[in-house]
Amino acid sequence: MLIIENLTKIYDNGFKALDNISLEIPDGQFVSIIGLSGSGKSTLLRCINRLVEPTKGRIIWNGLDITAATDDELRQIRRRIGMIFQQFNLVKRSSVLTNVMAGRLGYINPIFSLFNYFPPGEKQRAMAALQRVGIPEKAMNRASALSGGQQQRVGIARTLMQDPEMLLADEPVASLDPATSHSVMKYLELLNNEDGLTVLCSLHFLSLARAYSDRVIALKDGKLEFDGLPKDIDNERFKMIYGEDAVEVEIH
Amino acid sequence: MNTPPPSRTLLWRLVLVVLAAVVLVIFSYGWTVTDIDLAVPQEAQRQENVGNALRELLSPNVFSQEYEVKTATTSFLINCPEGFTAPEASPATDQPYIVVEPGCGTANEPVTVRGFNFAANGLARVNWIALDGERRIRQVIGTGEDNFSINAEGSFSVQVEVPRIRGTTGETHTVEVQGRFPLGLPTLSATTGLVLEKMVETIFLALIATAVSILPSAILSFFAAQNLMRPVRTSLGGLLLTVALFPVGWWIGSTLLTQLGMLALNIGRGNFSGSAAATLFVFVGMVATTRKLGTSSTLETVSQPRALLNAVLIALGSVVLIGLVGGLGLLFGSLFTEGIPGYLSAFIGSLGGMVELVMPLIAGVIGAFTLSSIGTTLTRDVFKRLSATTSHLLGGVLGALAGAVVLGATAVIGMSAAWMGLLTPFVAGGLASVILPQLYQRFINPPQPGVMPNRPLLTLLNWIGTVIGFVATFLLLNVRQALVEGTLPDPVIGFAGMGISLPVYVLQAMLIGAVIGAVAGALAGTRGNFPIGTVLYSTTRTVLNALRSIEPLIMGLVFVIWVGIGPFAGVLALTLHSIASLGKLYSEQIESIDTGPIEALQSTGANRLQTIMYAVVPQIIPPYIAFTMYRWDINVRMSTIIGFVGGGGIGFLLQQQINLLRYRDAGVAVLAIAIVVSILDYASAAIRERYT
C-alpha cells in the first residue's frame, strides 16, 4: 500500500508543481497518471522515490515513511522501486548487459563497484531479465545500437534486476511509435499480472490508459483533477482535464 | 518594415562614431606601448645580421662527412730564363695531377693552375711552397677565396698570383693543390646525435608529465564538475562533527597507523614470497570481511556495530596493504641494476620509496576519514532525534570546534608565507557570511514554502557578513603587517604537548574560528543543510584556475631551485600545470554528459560512487582520452622550451647553442622540434577525431 498524504512540491524558482495531493494506491494496482505537459505527472512519480525532494507532505509505503528516510534508508527503499524513463536513460556506450546489471548496484558492496566486479550469479540474473523482455541476443550490443522499443525493454530489464515491488514509469512510450508503444505497455502489464508489481505509469494518451490500467489519476496544474476508473472519463471529464479545445486522439 | 524614429538612428550613429574613435585611441596607445618602430627593421646592419642568422638557422648542421686530403704538386720557376719550357705532365695516371701555365713567372704575375682527377664537385686550394718549406695559401683571382670548387668531371682551372717573396729569383718553387676527397658516405653529425638524445628526453618528459597528471586531474575533475557537485548536500551536524574529528583522526593516523604501515613495509621489503603471500592474504581477507559486513540484502540498513567494525577493518587493512605493497616495491627496486629490468627495478623501487616517504600522510588521511565516518555513522540517528533547542546548542558547540579547526589549519598555512596570511581572513569571512542571513531568516522573516525568499537582500547580508568577518580577522591577526612588511607571523609557541605545538598566532586564529563557528552553528542548528558540494566545487575550481594561470615556465623556475637543473624540474612543472589544465578540461566534459543515466541509477538505489562508476565514467572515457592526447601534444611543445629555464629537454641545448651564436647547430634543434611537434600534432588530431 502506497499512501501519499498532502504532497506539495514547490521548486526553487517558486513553481508549484504539486498542490496538496493525497492518494492511496493498493498493492498490485496498475495506475495511469494523465494530464497535460507540466501538470505535475513527472514530479509526482519522482517524489515517490525522492529523485525530487517533496516540499510538504508524507509518502508512506508498506509502513515505511519514504519522506523521512535517511540517505541510507532511502537507498534501501529505492532498491525495491523500479523506474523507467521517457528517454530510457541507458548508458549508450555501455553494453546492454552492463546496463541491465547496473540495476543491481543497490545490492552490491560499493567497493566492488570500484573494480567493476559483480558477484557470481548476477550475470545469469541479468540474462534472465533480458530473456523476459525478449532480447537476450542483444546482451553484448552497445545500448545505442538498439531501437527505441528495445532500449525501453532494456530499461525494464534493468528494473527487474532490482526485484522491485513497485514500478514507476515516467511516460515510458512517449518517444516511441504506436506499435512499439503497445509492445512496451504489454511488458508493463505482464509485470503487473505475473509479478504482482504495483505500476504507476504516466501517459499522454488516454487510449493507452484505458487499455492497460485499473485506475486513472488525472492531474491539472498540480492538483488532483480526477481519480477513478478509466471508463468513467467521458467527454466532459476529458475537457476538464485537457482543456476546452482538446480533442482525444486514439492510439491503436 | 517599420523604420525606427530618426532621432534614435542619429544617436545610434553617434554612438558608433564615438565607439570607433575610442577603439582607434586604444589601438594607437597599444601601438606606442609595444614600441612598434618600422624604421628599425630597415637598418642595413640589422638586416644583414638577421639575414646571416636566418641563413645559418636554415642550414642546419644535420650531416657530416669525413674527408681525405690528397695533394698534387708541380714545380715553378721564379723569373723565366730564355727558352724555358715547362716539363710535360703525365696525364696517364688516375691520381690527381696539376698543370701550371706558364711554368715560370715573376712575382704578382697571374698563372693558371689546372687540375685533373680530383673528387668531382669537391673543394680544393692552392698552396705555394718556397724553399723554406712554408705553405702559403694563394687566393683565387676573381673570388678572393682560399677554396674553390672542382667541376663535375673532377677538373678545375683557376688563376692565382705568384707570391712576392724577397730574394727568390731563380729558385724552383713547388705549387701544391690540396683536394678534399670524401671518405665514405655522409653521416649524421655530432650535433644531430645530441639533438636526438635530447629530443627523446623531451618526448618522455612530456609523456611522464602527462601520464602522472591523468589520475589526479581525473579525480579533481569530479570535484570541479558543477552538475555532480551542486546537488551534494550534507547535514550540518554531520559535517561539523567531521571537521571537528578530522584533526583527531589525523593525529591517530599519523602517529599510530603509520607505525603499523611501516611495520608492514618492513615486512614487505624482507622477502618476496612471504610478503606477496601476506599481501594477497590481507587483500582477500579485506574483500571477504567487507562482503560479509558491508552489505545487506534485506530492507534494513547495515547495523551500526557492523558498519563500524567494517570501517575500522578497512582502515587497518588499507594501511597494511599499502605498506606491504610499498615494501615489495622497495624490495623489487634492489633486484636489478642493468638493462630493461634495471629501468623497471629503479622505477618500482622509487614508487616504493615514495610510499615510505608519504606513509604518515597516507595513514593520517585514512585515520581522519575513518574517524570522521565512524563519528557520523554513530551520531546520525542521534542528530535526527534531537529537539530544536538541543540541536542549536549542539550546533554551537560543534560549530566552535569545527571553526577552530578550519581557521587553525588556514593559520598554519598562513605561517608559511606572508601573503598566505590573507587566507585566514578570507575563510573567516566565508564562515561569517552565513550569520546575518540566518539571523534574518530566523527572527525577522522566516522562510515559507512557496514564497520566494528575498534573494538580493540575503545576498547583501551575506556580503556584509563576509566583509565584517574579513576585516575583523584581518585586524585581530595583524595581517596588515604581513602584507606591507612581508614579515611572517611571530612563531612564539603558545601550546605544546601530545606531540604537537601550536604558535600563539594559530591559537588566536582558532579562537576567532571558534567564536564565528559557534554563532553560525548555533543559528543553523545541526539539522541544517549544508551545500558541501558547492563549496568543494568552487574551491577546486578556484585552485585549478589559479594554478592554470601560472605558466609552466614560471613553475619551472621554482622547481629548478628545488630539484636542480634538469628534466626532473621540467617534469614537475609540466605535471603541475597539466593537472590544473586537464582537471578543468575533464570537468567540462563531465558537465556536458547526459544526466539521464545518473537519475536512472540513483533510482535503483546505487550510491554516489556507484552512480559515478556506472553512469558517468563510461560517458567520459572517450573525451578523456582525446583531451589527454591533446595535453600530451601541448606538453611536448612546452617541454621544448621548459629547458630555457633549466627544465631539461631540448630547450636546454637550444638555449646553449643560441647563446654561443652557433645558429647552424641551433637549426638542427629547431628542425627536430618542428618535425616532432608536427607529427604529434597530426597523431593527436587523428586520435581525437576518432574519440569525439
Side-chain angles (χ1 to χ4, degrees), chain A residues 10 12 46 70 72 75-76 78-79 81 89-91 93-94 105 108-110 112-114 116 118 158 162, chain B residues 290-291 295-300 380 384 450 452 596-597 599-600 602-605 607 610 614 618 622:
Chain A
I10 300 157
D12 284 345
R46 279 171 169 71
T70 62
D72 280 344
R75 275 192 277 115
Q76 308 287 327
R78 279 179 178 169
R79 298 202 304 205
I81 304 178
N89 287 358
L90 303 179
V91 181
R93 279 181 45 83
S94 298
L105 285 173
I108 288 166
N109 190 333
F112 294 162
S113 302
L114 265 186
N116 195 13
F118 281 94
R158 177 169 63 192
Q162 294 173 239
Chain B
T290 54
R291 244 180 110 171
T295 45
S296 81
S297 52
T298 59
L299 250 179
E300 288 156 32
R380 192 168 44 212
K384 250 171 72 180
M452 284 290 281
E599 194 184 29
Q602 274 176 347
S603 76
T604 68
N607 77 357
Q610 291 171 322
Y614 285 89

